Amino acid sequence: MSAGKYRKEHNCLNCGAHVEKHYCSDCGQPNLELKESFWAFISHSIAHYFHFDNKFFQTLSPLLTKPGQVTLDYLAGKRARYINPVSMYIFVSIVYFLVVYSPKHVEKDPDHGGIGIENEKSENVTDSVNKALKLTGMPKSIADRTTKSINKAIRKKEFIKMGFADQEKELNRLRTENDKLASDSIADMIEDYNEIHIERNDSTYAAYLGRQKKLPPTEQDNWYERMIKKRAINIGEKSEVIQETLEHNRPKQYFLLMPLLAWFIMLNFRKNHIYYLDHLIFTIHGMMVYFIVSIFTQPIMKHVFGETSLVSKIIEVGVTVYLFWYMFKALTVFYQRKTWSTIFKIFWILILYSVAFKLSEMVMINLIYFVAT
């Protein structure tokens, strides 16, 4: 790497210590001339950039292909060839959240439209299932019962998609039909539909209070139930804002959970008797691998093939298999445990981390809710 022109004087301009050769033995600053040409300044800056770039790829290659080895080398003191784990993690995580982790807008189902088409489709599906079951030799009573159950589930889904007024009409039609036939199946359907209808009616807290006033005093919710309902309705009303804010804060969640993940790993491998910091460096390297793989695969799946395409599904399965292989191999290499012991510990680490992730997500949602309201 081109260092520029060195000074003839032997005093360090940074700390004042005596400099024997080109670098100060006390602070490490190079003993370079202060005055340099424009081109010397540019070439010097470029040289520093490509030196960093070279170290980045020297770290990247073994990090992806030799699980656990970079951590072992770093802790053994072989650090000149690798970038500092925290510095590289910050750089990689910034790229990851810029390229991959963009918030997703949740599209709400329309209140009306397409009901007639859905009814026609459901009839075709149930007819096809009924014919197929009878062709296999299944008794007619069992085939009819199975078809009826499928048809009930489809109609319930269609009822959920209806607007409030359409739901009201359908409920009135069923009540009239039940008054004539006194059918238990229709009564059960009315009960199920009524719960869905009430939930749709309580889309705002004002609507909920209006419905409560119409009920007899004995059937009205108490103050605690009203408070819980108000919170649920408010979260539902602000669901898109809460979700976007949650996704925006994912980097903080990952960063704060990483020390906890290292602690989970330390608990499972406590017999190795190594310092917590060593577990943390191992965890940082593992998180970077997840980020790097996602940086290369997620844009391809999303923008080239489409998230629901067969190729994307194959890539997703391949990435999952690679990450599980990497985690197993890294833990085996770093902690020197047997195969089944490592697999068992991976199982518990993933369970603990999943619980911590969900709990932290719940805390974040509640914090966002209280800030938003």
Side-chain angles (χ1 to χ4, degrees):
M1 182 179 71
S2 175
K5 187 178 179 181
Y6 290 102
R7 297 170 65 241
K8 293 180 181 180
E9 295 81 2
H10 294 282
N11 63 308
C12 177
L13 295 174
N14 183 54
C15 66
H18 181 75
V19 181
E20 288 292 339
K21 293 185 179 181
H22 298 317
Y23 293 89
C24 177
S25 58
D26 285 1
C27 68
Q29 177 170 289
N31 192 27
L32 297 172
E33 289 283 358
L34 294 179
K35 295 180 180 180
E36 56 182 346
S37 66
F38 172 77
W39 292 113
F41 171 75
I42 295 298
S43 61
H44 192 194
S45 300
I46 292 173
H48 270 290
Y49 171 79
F50 281 107
H51 175 65
F52 172 84
D53 185 69
N54 187 42
K55 287 186 72 173
F56 178 82
F57 285 105
Q58 282 182 348
T59 308
L60 182 65
S61 179
L63 186 66
L64 293 174
T65 58
K66 299 177 181 179
Q69 191 59 48
V70 174
T71 310
L72 286 174
D73 288 346
Y74 187 84
L75 296 177
K78 301 174 183 179
R79 303 182 178 184
R81 73 188 76 170
Y82 300 127
I83 297 179
N84 179 276
V86 176
S87 300
M88 188 172 179
Y89 173 83
I90 292 172
F91 172 75
V92 170
S93 63
I94 289 172
V95 175
Y96 171 77
F97 287 105
L98 286 175
V99 173
V100 177
Y101 223 97
S102 56
K104 297 178 181 178
H105 295 273
V106 180
E107 294 183 2
K108 297 180 180 179
D109 290 333
D111 287 342
H112 58 276
I115 302 299
I117 297 172
E118 291 295 331
N119 285 329
E120 188 176 341
K121 286 182 178 179
S122 66
E123 288 175 4
N124 292 336
V125 169
T126 50
D127 287 343
S128 299
V129 170
N130 201 342
K131 290 176 183 177
L133 291 174
K134 289 177 180 178
L135 285 173
T136 58
M138 185 174 290
K140 184 178 182 298
S141 58
I142 298 176
D144 290 342
R145 196 157 56 244
T146 304
T147 305
K148 188 177 179 181
S149 177
I150 295 171
N151 189 45
K152 183 180 177 182
I154 293 173
R155 288 186 176 278
K156 188 174 180 179
K157 185 177 178 182
E158 292 168 1
F159 184 80
I160 292 171
K161 291 182 178 180
M162 289 181 181
F164 183 77
D166 291 331
Q167 287 183 352
E168 187 73 32
K169 290 177 183 178
E170 181 65 14
L171 274 170
N172 290 334
R173 186 188 67 79
L174 289 171
R175 290 188 185 108
T176 303
E177 188 176 347
N178 190 45
D179 290 340
K180 295 177 181 178
L181 301 176
S183 170
D184 291 338
S185 61
I186 296 177
D188 292 339
M189 191 180 298
I190 291 171
E191 186 177 350
D192 291 341
Y193 285 9
N194 195 51
E195 290 180 5
I196 298 168
H197 187 57
I198 289 173
E199 187 176 343
R200 174 61 65 87
N201 184 37
D202 294 343
S203 57
T204 65
Y205 188 60
Y208 164 74
L209 291 176
R211 184 178 63 81
Q212 285 289 307
K213 288 179 180 178
K214 295 177 183 178
L215 296 175
T218 54
E219 295 182 15
Q220 292 180 7
D221 294 340
N222 57 40
W223 67 270
Y224 179 75
E225 291 171 330
R226 292 191 180 196
M227 183 182 69
I228 297 297
K229 188 69 176 180
K230 182 180 180 181
R231 180 179 175 277
I233 291 171
N234 286 338
I235 288 179
E237 288 177 340
K238 300 179 183 296
S239 60
E240 190 171 348
V241 175
I242 291 173
Q243 187 64 29
E244 287 186 8
T245 310
L246 182 66
E247 300 300 332
H248 180 73
N249 286 281
R250 287 293 186 195
K252 297 175 186 176
Q253 185 184 15
Y254 279 117
F255 186 78
L256 292 173
L257 284 178
M258 191 165 55
L260 193 60
L261 177 58
W263 185 64
F264 292 152
I265 294 174
M266 185 179 74
L267 285 179
N268 281 273
F269 292 95
R270 56 188 177 276
K271 291 184 179 179
N272 286 70
H273 302 293
I274 61 178
Y275 293 111
Y276 171 77
L277 183 60
D278 297 349
H279 297 286
L280 183 59
I281 293 171
F282 173 83
T283 306
I284 290 172
H285 282 143
M287 288 296 293
M288 280 194 292
V289 169
Y290 169 71
F291 288 160
I292 291 166
V293 171
S294 298
I295 288 168
F296 285 106
T297 58
Q298 289 291 334
I300 294 173
M301 292 164 59
K302 186 175 182 179
H303 302 295
V304 178
F305 298 108
E307 292 179 318
T308 58
S309 67
L310 178 61
V311 177
S312 294
K313 295 297 181 185
I314 293 172
I315 294 173
E316 190 176 350
V317 171
V319 168
T320 303
V321 171
Y322 168 77
L323 290 174
F324 272 103
W325 168 82
Y326 187 95
M327 188 176 183
F328 166 76
K329 197 70 177 177
L331 290 169
T332 303
V333 170
F334 189 74
Y335 293 102
Q336 298 294 310
R337 295 297 183 91
K338 294 180 180 179
T339 300
W340 286 110
S341 174
T342 304
I343 292 173
F344 179 75
K345 292 179 185 303
I346 287 174
F347 174 76
W348 279 110
I349 290 168
L350 291 176
I351 287 179
L352 290 170
Y353 185 75
S354 298
V355 171
F357 190 88
K358 286 296 181 184
L359 289 174
S360 63
E361 193 173 69
M362 288 172 61
V363 171
M364 289 172 66
I365 289 172
N366 281 279
L367 287 174
I368 295 166
Y369 162 73
F370 284 117
V371 170
T373 55

